[in-house]
């Protein structure tokens, strides 16, 4: 006779054990999935925070550089104003001796028979108005001016005959360009 073996409880126990193992595996998988999601979320949050900190740092540096650039622009404007003032002062200092030298030279060149009635300077030009006894005296004066290193070629603008104190005289207007640079060079050579 064959012995009858009841396999049902063993199968039942095996099925229950498999269900328990499956539930444990599902719980472990769910915990692992939650852990992975948490780690990924934390990493992304850390990267976002790091990027925001970098952005804030860059905004601060940009604001600091803008302020420095504005200060630099203000300093450049102040420097330009100072340089312009220095140029004006240097121009005045260099032209002052030239004008004195020009007046001195003009007095030396002026003949006794010419009387100046007005004297004007504008830029690098001198305008002389005066009277002379004759045209010859005026032309000699113009030749002497041309020969001077301080003056350019004079231009006679007006010449008229007028009676001055019952004497016929020639009234003239003379425009003379100045060569103050040449006068400065000569003055510089004289100093050495």
């Amino acid at each position: 006779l064959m012995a009858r073996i009841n396999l049902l409880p063993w199968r039942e126990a095996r099925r229950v054990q498999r269900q328990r193992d499956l539930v444990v595996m599902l719980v472990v998988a769910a915990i692992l999935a939650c852990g992975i999601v948490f780690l990924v979320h934390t990493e992304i949050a850390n990267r976002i925070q790091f990027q925001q900190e970098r952005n804030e740092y860059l905004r601060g540096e940009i604001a600091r550089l803008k302020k420095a650039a504005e200060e630099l622009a203000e300093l450049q404007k102040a420097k330009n104003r100072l340089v312009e003032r220095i140029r004006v002062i240097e121009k005045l200092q260099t032209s002052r001796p030239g004008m004195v030298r020009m007046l001195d030279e003009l007095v030396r060149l002026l003949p006794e028979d010419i009387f100046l009635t007005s004297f004007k300077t504008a830029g690098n030009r001198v305008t002389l108005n005066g009277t002379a006894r004759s045209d010859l005296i005026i032309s000699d004066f113009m030749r002497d001016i041309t020969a001077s290193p301080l003056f350019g070629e004079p231009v006679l603008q007006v010449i008229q005959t007028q009676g001055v104190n019952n004497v016929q005289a020639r009234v003239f207007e003379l425009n003379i360009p100045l060569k103050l640079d040449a006068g400065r060079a000569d003055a510089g050579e004289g100093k050495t």
Side-chain angles (χ1 to χ4, degrees):
L1 296 167
M2 267 182 79
R4 291 185 130 201
I5 300 174
N6 188 359
L7 295 176
L8 287 179
W10 178 79
R11 285 184 183 162
E12 186 65 26
R14 188 172 167 199
R15 191 170 46 83
V16 169
Q17 183 63 35
R18 280 187 180 170
Q19 282 181 348
R20 278 187 205 148
D21 290 345
L22 182 61
V23 168
V24 168
M25 284 177 34
L26 287 176
V27 168
V28 168
I31 290 172
L32 281 175
C34 287
I36 290 171
V37 167
F38 177 75
L39 288 175
V40 168
H41 175 71
T42 303
E43 179 64 23
I44 290 173
N46 286 342
R47 288 187 182 194
I48 289 172
Q49 182 181 359
F50 176 72
Q51 190 61 43
Q52 287 174 344
E53 288 171 359
R54 281 184 65 190
N55 291 348
E56 284 301 315
Y57 173 76
L58 289 175
R59 281 189 201 102
E61 288 297 308
I62 289 170
R64 188 178 65 79
L65 289 174
K66 277 185 183 177
K67 185 176 179 183
E70 290 170 0
E71 290 173 358
L72 186 63
E74 287 299 317
L75 287 174
Q76 187 66 35
K77 287 178 186 176
K79 177 190 166 200
N80 290 342
R81 287 192 300 264
L82 286 174
V83 166
E84 189 59 33
R85 285 181 185 173
I86 289 170
R87 284 186 187 142
V88 168
I89 291 169
E90 286 175 347
K91 186 176 178 184
L92 287 173
Q93 286 177 341
T94 56
S95 68
R96 187 182 318 153
M99 286 294 183
V100 170
R101 196 170 149 86
M102 179 268 305
L103 287 172
D104 185 50
E105 183 74 15
L106 195 59
V107 168
R108 289 180 198 199
L109 295 175
L110 192 64
E112 291 181 15
D113 296 333
I114 290 183
F115 301 97
L116 294 181
T117 57
S118 74
F119 172 86
K120 289 185 231 171
T121 60
N124 281 344
R125 297 194 78 70
V126 176
T127 303
L128 301 176
N129 291 323
T131 58
R133 266 196 291 163
S134 69
D135 292 339
L136 183 62
I137 294 170
I138 296 171
S139 64
D140 286 343
F141 180 48
M142 289 175 65
R143 264 189 244 107
D144 291 343
I145 288 173
T146 302
S148 171
L150 295 178
F151 302 108
E153 185 74 31
V155 177
L156 190 61
Q157 296 291 342
V158 176
I159 188 161
Q160 301 172 355
T161 303
Q162 286 185 351
V164 177
N165 297 332
N166 295 327
V167 176
Q168 291 294 326
R170 303 294 281 169
V171 177
F172 67 91
E173 180 178 313
L174 198 60
N175 282 334
I176 308 167
L178 298 177
K179 296 180 184 175
L180 293 179
D181 293 335
R184 265 186 262 134
D186 292 344
E189 289 171 8
K191 288 179 184 177
T192 53

